[in-house]
Amino acid sequence: VLQFRTLSKETTAALLEACRTNGVTITNALTAAAALTSSDFIDGGDAKAGTKRNYKVLQSLDMRRFGAQLDKCDTVACMAGSNDLMLGPIQDRSGETVRSNPESSENQKLFWALSREGRMQTNKFVSSDGPVHAVRVFDFAMTISDMNNLVDLTARSKDSQGRAYSAGISNNGVYERQAAVKRDDTSERGNIQIKHGKYEVLDVFYGTPHSRSGCLYSVSTITVDGSMKLTFNPASPIVSEETNAEYADAFVELLEKVVASSSSSPAGNFLSNLNISEGSLSLVAAACGAVGIAIHAGAW
């Protein structure tokens, strides 16, 4: 089950500017969009009036920068990782509400407040050496336990059907800023180029595998020549092709409308808008982080 979408260069640039204005990264905005869009499709789209839920979003991280030895790209290595974000409580069909009235100050505040909450939780995870400890916990668990059996049991669960997360975001950043493999006739690694002689890279789409265990809705993005490319690959048959297409359209529409309606002044703060105690979900996310490493082992 795959859907591919593209944000125009103009929208991608506007998204970057809006994120800078609101003090967040594009990845933070993507996690907010994932949580809000997922609220439209919760319980198979059977949203309940007055219901609020917390959403667990799996945010992929590049662990190379946290390693004792930086990746030289000389050998094959698994250096992927992630941290868990807890976003909410969010009213059912909040994504639909934002898309229908993106100019509303309350809807703008909701989107950017969720983005800042994701930034805050990520910063706490990184500043507390979370990436380093997460890798150690994963290595320890692989050593002392049968992780393959744990993944299988999670996948067979009738309650979760292997979906430990509401949604997942993997943002690979800008294609042309990635370091290329060192060539035999060079001493340094240059950046990847989109033009090679008479050939030019126009599109790059990728998806993170999570068929055994992982996210209900998965979004993977990379920006090529100033335009963001998005891949939507939920697990089938839990999510149908039709539902995935609707999710992809709603996700992109949400980003386009929020960006088009964003004002130059940052929205208010997450805690005042969502009425939760300061740091409560951050602490929950931090506590669950190490456990989450084991739960989503099949998605690494």
Side-chain angles (χ1 to χ4, degrees):
V1 178
L2 289 169
Q3 290 289 322
F4 305 101
R5 298 292 186 274
T6 298
L7 283 184
S8 67
K9 291 184 180 181
E10 294 75 17
T11 301
T12 304
L15 174 61
L16 177 59
E17 183 60 30
C19 287
R20 287 172 173 169
T21 298
N22 286 275
V24 299
T25 66
I26 283 184
T27 299
N28 299 146
L30 292 173
T31 58
L36 289 169
T37 305
S38 295
S39 74
D40 298 339
F41 293 85
I42 196 70
D43 283 349
D46 184 23
K48 298 175 177 60
T51 300
K52 293 184 178 181
R53 314 171 198 250
N54 292 324
Y55 288 80
K56 189 177 179 183
V57 179
L58 182 66
Q59 178 182 243
S60 295
L61 292 179
D62 179 4
M63 295 298 196
R64 292 171 178 83
R65 69 187 67 184
F66 304 109
Q69 293 181 327
L70 296 180
D71 176 35
K72 300 295 191 301
C73 208
D74 293 332
T75 62
V76 176
C78 177
M79 296 190 177
S82 60
N83 73 303
D84 303 350
L85 301 178
M86 298 293 289
L87 302 178
I90 299 173
Q91 181 85 36
D92 280 9
R93 295 198 176 280
S94 286
E96 184 179 286
T97 300
V98 174
R99 294 195 308 275
S100 64
N101 188 14
E103 296 86 3
S104 163
S105 61
E106 288 303 310
N107 288 339
Q108 284 284 325
K109 287 178 181 178
L110 172 61
F111 181 86
W112 294 113
L114 284 170
S115 301
R116 281 193 292 277
E117 175 66 13
R119 178 202 61 192
M120 183 178 70
Q121 292 184 23
T122 302
N123 287 345
K124 284 189 175 182
F125 180 71
V126 173
S127 63
S128 63
D129 287 333
V132 175
H133 295 316
V135 173
R136 288 170 177 164
V137 169
F138 183 76
D139 180 67
F140 178 71
M142 289 293 290
T143 302
I144 68 168
S145 65
D146 186 355
M147 288 293 289
N148 289 330
N149 185 49
L150 176 59
V151 171
D152 183 63
L153 291 174
T154 304
R156 293 175 181 273
S157 168
K158 294 181 179 180
D159 294 327
S160 69
Q161 297 183 9
R163 305 301 101 190
Y165 300 87
S166 311
I169 289 291
S170 174
N171 178 28
N172 215 345
V174 178
Y175 179 74
E176 298 95 308
R177 292 181 183 174
Q178 312 292 327
V181 175
K182 184 174 65 177
R183 299 183 181 277
D184 294 336
D185 57 346
T186 60
S187 58
E188 297 181 357
R189 292 171 59 188
N191 285 357
I192 295 175
Q193 304 296 318
I194 61 172
K195 293 184 179 180
H196 301 269
K198 64 179 181 179
Y199 300 103
E200 182 176 359
V201 176
L202 300 178
D203 295 308
V204 175
F205 293 95
Y206 78 98
T208 52
H210 62 121
S211 57
R212 292 292 291 167
S213 64
C215 314
L216 182 59
Y217 294 100
S218 179
V219 186
S220 301
T221 69
I222 187 169
T223 299
V224 181
D225 193 24
S227 177
M228 184 178 291
K229 313 295 179 180
L230 304 96
T231 303
F232 300 81
N233 62 313
S236 174
I238 301 174
V239 177
S240 67
E241 187 73 56
E242 180 182 12
T243 299
N244 189 33
E246 293 174 357
Y247 185 97
D249 289 339
F251 186 97
V252 171
E253 182 185 0
L254 178 68
L255 288 178
E256 292 174 337
K257 288 190 172 181
V258 166
V259 168
S261 304
S262 291
S263 63
S264 58
S265 59
N269 122 353
F270 175 79
L271 304 170
S272 62
N273 286 302
L274 292 187
N275 298 317
I276 62 173
S277 58
E278 184 173 353
S280 60
L281 287 185
S282 299
L283 293 175
V284 172
C288 292
V291 178
I293 296 295
I295 293 176
H296 67 255
W300 279 57

